[in-house]
Each structure stands twice: as C-alpha cells, then as structure tokens.
Amino acid sequence: MTNVHEDVQNYYGQQLQQTTDLKTDACCSKADVPSFIKDILKKIHPEVVAKYYGCGLVFPPKLEGCRVLDLGSGAGRDVYILSSLVGAQGYVVGVDMTKEQLDVANRFIDYHTKAFGFEKANVEFRLGKIEQLTDDSGMKTNSFDVIVSNCVVNLSPDKKKVLQQVYEMLKPGGEFYFSDVYADRPVPEDLRQNKILWGECLSGAICESDLISGALAVGFTRPILVATDPIGINNVELQKLLGDIKFTSCTYRLFKSKSIDKSTNSDDKLGALVTYQTSIVHYENEFQFNESITFKLHGEPQYLNAELVKMLRMSRYSDNFKFEPITDEKQIPNTTNQVSNQQKSNDQSSSSCCCRPGTC
Ligand SMILES: C[S@@+](CC[C@H](N)C(=O)[O-])C[C@H]1O[C@@H](n2cnc3c(N)ncnc32)[C@H](O)[C@@H]1O
C-alpha cells in the first residue's frame, strides 16, 4: 500500500467524522439538486447524509435496471440514491478502501431496502482500491452499464490506472460519469506532499489535459464536460498555501467504445441532425448531453459532429434519439458553435497546459 492510500484512509477513517469537519469547501457539492433527487434524499438515513463528501451530482439519466458501480462510495449516500434510481431490477456496487466508511454504509442496507420498498437489497459495498478493481474476484469485467464516482479520483496516486480499471469493468458502450476536483495548473510538489491539502481533495486535483490523454489512451471516447462549479477554499491559512491556483468541480461523461452496427452509422461522417424523440423518466422536458448541448423533447433537431453522434449512438440513450445523417457539407448548419467550442476547448487543453476552459 502506498503512503497516499494510508494517509487518505486515515483522513476519511479517523480524522473526519462528518461533512462539517472538512477544512475547506472542496468536497461539499453546491450543485442544484433536481427535485426528484431531493425526494429520494428525504429517505436517506441522516447518519449517511452527514458523512457525504461529494463535489457534484453523479446521477446520469436512464438508470432504471442498470448495474452501476460507485468508486469511493464512502458512507454510501450516492449508492443509496442510485439504488432508488436503478430500481428493484437494477443493482449498485460501492467500492471504498476505508473500512470505517464502509462500515457506516453497510449498517444501513436494510434501512434503505425498506425505505425504497424493495423485497431484497439491490446494493452491496466492497472493501477495495479503485486502482485494483479487476483483482476483486467478486466483480466481473465488462459487467457494469454505468460507473460513477464523486470526488475520489483526485485522491488516487495513480489516476491513469483508475481510468484503465474503469474501462475494464464497463460493458462496451457503458458510461463513466464522474464529478471531481480539477486544477487550472499543475499543483507544485511541496503542496502535493501536504496531507491535509491532499485529503481535502485539493493537491491531488486532476488536470483536464491528463484526463483527456489518459481516457483516449485506454480506449474511451473523448471526455465531454457536463457541468462545472467553482470551488471556494474558505480557509485563510490553506488559501495562502495554495496561492492563485484555481480549483473547479467538473462532471465529465466518457463512453467505453463499442462497434456500432454499420447500417446505422455509415452515413455519419459529416455528423447528423439529432432529435430527442422518446422521453426518459425525470427528463420529460429536456436532456443535457454536455455543458452546451441540451435537447428539448421533440424540439428542433440539433447538429452534432461525427464524434458526438458516435458517442450518442453507442450509448444506452441511443433509442431515445432520432439521427438524420448529413450527406452534404452544405447541409451543416451555421449554428455549430456549441459543438466546436467543446471540441476546441478539449483540443486546446490536450496540448500542454492543464487549464480548465475559462479558468486561465
Ligand atoms: C471525498 S470522499 C467521497 C466519498 C463519497 N463519494 C461521497 O460523495 O461521500 C473520498 C472517498 O474515497 C475513498 N477513496 C479514496 N481513494 C481511494 C482509492 N484509491 N480506492 C478506494 N477508495 C478510495 C475514501 O476512503 C473516501 O471514502
């Protein structure tokens, strides 16, 4: 075990007892919670809620019946919300390396099974490291529809390994949807050695360029940004150490590549006009694909470039959309700035700097 793992276990197992013990606001999500999630939250045990250390919302649409894995599930708040969203036919596994966190999560399995009205539990918690998922003989590779994680990858000393392990565990076409802490520049080594700053999810913060290169290297589609929230440190002493570094909570979605039926995608080279045509429960009005593309149900078709069309077609969302391939460049509408901006910001950041779009 590396020292980083031991230090993080100590931070989350011994030093912190609840959210209010955190020394900064990095692991405290400020994101607006949709009303259907608020309704589920009312059923989550207060002891579990009090030990929430997440920085975003990790509940993508269309989870009913899915097998979901939560990396670094902590006291289990998100696993229990996901339990309700996947329903009795779905299943959620939480993995965490800190025994004290896992003990809390395990203590409330029966409570939530009853609260959600299920006959039997649809969750389990496993002690383990997110860099070693494939070593756990209790979990099969290629077996999860969705993998989520909330404010955990930044704590890993080997983020590339985590991406590779996530790829192994997902089914082809499966989605990795995760919120984490990003820095607008590499964090200097002396700050990376600071155990409190690491435990607070700051000095191990991810660089967007590393996420993109790491994801593409293991075979994921290009990560797409779904949501961002600036992070305030709110601690004078720690802020002084961190200086000008800016931290942002970002939620990304990535898909595990899957070959798509040739008959459906052969005409997608120039992209397609895409319509959200069959509604998904809780998303009856609109579906947000990334930070700048939101589809209205039965709304105007939106142009997606070939890369984004491929992602949507390979995903579990595919059946809810109508794709009209573009056959002539002249048909590509002028209003493509949303797509090209996302593309441009990804391309820029994948060169050398680790800036988040808009932060430097
Ligand atoms: C910031 S907390 C987030 C917990 C949970 N996702 C939540 O939102 O409340 C980080 C959690 O990740 C776990 N963790 C950190 N690094 C890990 C690793 N390499 N493998 C497994 N668990 C890890 C810690 O034990 C801790 O419970």
Side-chain angles (χ1 to χ4, degrees):
M1 183 181 319
T2 64
N3 288 339
V4 173
H5 285 131
E6 274 175 24
D7 293 342
V8 170
Q9 279 171 327
N10 179 274
Y11 206 69
Y12 286 94
Q14 305 292 328
Q15 301 197 34
L16 301 182
Q17 295 307 317
Q18 51 187 4
T19 318
T20 49
D21 296 336
L22 287 163
K23 293 181 173 54
T24 68
D25 285 352
C27 331
C28 309
S29 173
K30 302 270 180 315
D32 281 344
V33 180
S35 59
F36 72 94
I37 302 287
K38 280 187 185 149
D39 290 342
I40 301 172
L41 263 170
K42 286 179 197 151
K43 297 184 180 168
I44 308 289
H45 195 281
E47 206 175 321
V48 169
V49 174
K51 282 178 165 287
Y52 171 62
Y53 306 117
C55 58
L57 293 174
V58 292
F59 315 112
K62 207 175 179 186
L63 289 174
E64 201 173 345
C66 284
R67 269 181 63 78
V68 181
L69 173 63
D70 180 12
L71 307 181
S73 46
R77 190 199 85 145
D78 289 344
V79 166
Y80 288 123
I81 293 173
L82 291 161
S83 156
S84 169
L85 294 171
V86 301
Q89 304 307 315
Y91 200 76
V92 189
V93 180
V95 171
D96 202 290
M97 66 174 179
T98 305
K99 187 177 172 304
E100 292 85 344
Q101 291 271 73
L102 215 71
D103 286 347
V104 177
N106 269 320
R107 240 185 319 120
F108 294 103
I109 292 183
D110 285 349
Y111 175 92
H112 292 100
T113 305
K114 282 197 196 100
F116 298 141
F118 299 149
E119 269 176 30
K120 58 180 179 58
N122 67 348
V123 303
E124 71 179 80
F125 294 96
R126 306 185 71 83
L127 190 66
K129 295 203 183 70
I130 60 174
E131 298 86 353
Q132 298 169 6
L133 299 169
T134 50
D135 292 352
D136 182 341
S137 56
M139 290 195 294
K140 287 200 187 100
T141 55
N142 298 303
S143 70
F144 290 96
D145 301 288
V146 177
I147 298 184
V148 302
S149 181
N150 199 346
C151 218
V152 178
V153 179
N154 73 84
L155 293 167
S156 169
D158 191 350
K159 297 165 177 51
K160 275 187 194 157
K161 183 76 184 172
V162 175
L163 286 171
Q164 183 264 331
Q165 290 285 288
V166 171
Y167 193 84
E168 292 290 322
M169 300 310 291
L170 276 175
K171 293 179 186 171
E175 181 174 20
F176 181 33
Y177 189 96
F178 77 113
S179 300
D180 227 297
V181 178
Y182 289 76
D184 68 346
R185 69 201 75 175
V187 178
E189 192 52 36
D190 60 322
L191 298 182
R192 288 171 63 83
Q193 297 300 327
N194 182 314
K195 292 177 188 175
I196 293 179
L197 287 178
W198 191 281
E200 289 284 319
C201 300
L202 290 165
S203 54
I206 308 170
C207 283
E208 188 192 43
S209 54
D210 292 342
L211 168 70
I212 294 168
S213 59
L216 295 177
V218 295
F220 277 111
T221 58
R222 187 177 290 273
I224 49 181
L225 186 59
V226 183
T228 54
D229 264 310
I231 288 173
I233 305 300
N234 283 336
N235 179 315
V236 177
E237 211 177 307
L238 296 179
Q239 179 70 74
K240 222 188 229 172
L241 288 176
L242 293 164
D244 292 341
I245 306 173
K246 287 195 180 62
F247 296 93
T248 311
S249 162
C250 300
T251 303
Y252 279 93
R253 58 163 33 121
L254 297 67
F255 297 97
K256 175 167 173 171
S257 301
K258 168 185 169 187
S259 49
I260 308 168
D261 178 5
K262 278 233 163 67
S263 63
T264 56
N265 81 332
S266 55
D267 295 333
D268 286 341
K269 280 191 270 336
L270 296 173
L273 292 173
V274 181
T275 315
Y276 179 30
Q277 67 169 11
T278 314
S279 83
I280 296 170
V281 179
H282 302 308
Y283 298 84
E284 285 80 7
N285 296 325
E286 57 185 38
F287 176 102
Q288 189 193 355
F289 186 49
N290 67 16
E291 219 185 15
S292 49
I293 301 174
T294 297
F295 294 94
K296 300 274 179 218
L297 185 68
H298 306 309
E300 282 289 301
Q302 295 213 47
Y303 172 75
L304 294 191
N305 67 21
E307 189 179 28
L308 294 175
V309 171
K310 192 173 163 208
M311 290 179 202
L312 199 52
R313 275 200 195 273
M314 72 170 68
S315 74
R316 68 187 183 288
Y317 308 118
S318 176
D319 292 347
N320 299 85
F321 287 85
K322 185 172 120 198
F323 299 86
E324 297 167 272
I326 298 275
T327 49
D328 179 345
E329 264 177 43
K330 288 187 204 118
Q331 285 179 283
I332 298 178
N334 243 345
T335 52
T336 59
N337 53 340
Q338 302 163 332
V339 179
S340 47
N341 277 350
Q342 166 88 37
Q343 188 65 50
K344 227 189 282 167
S345 61
N346 281 351
D347 287 348
Q348 281 164 357
S349 55
S350 58
S351 55
S352 62
C353 101
C354 97
C355 301
R356 278 263 321 101
T359 58
C360 58

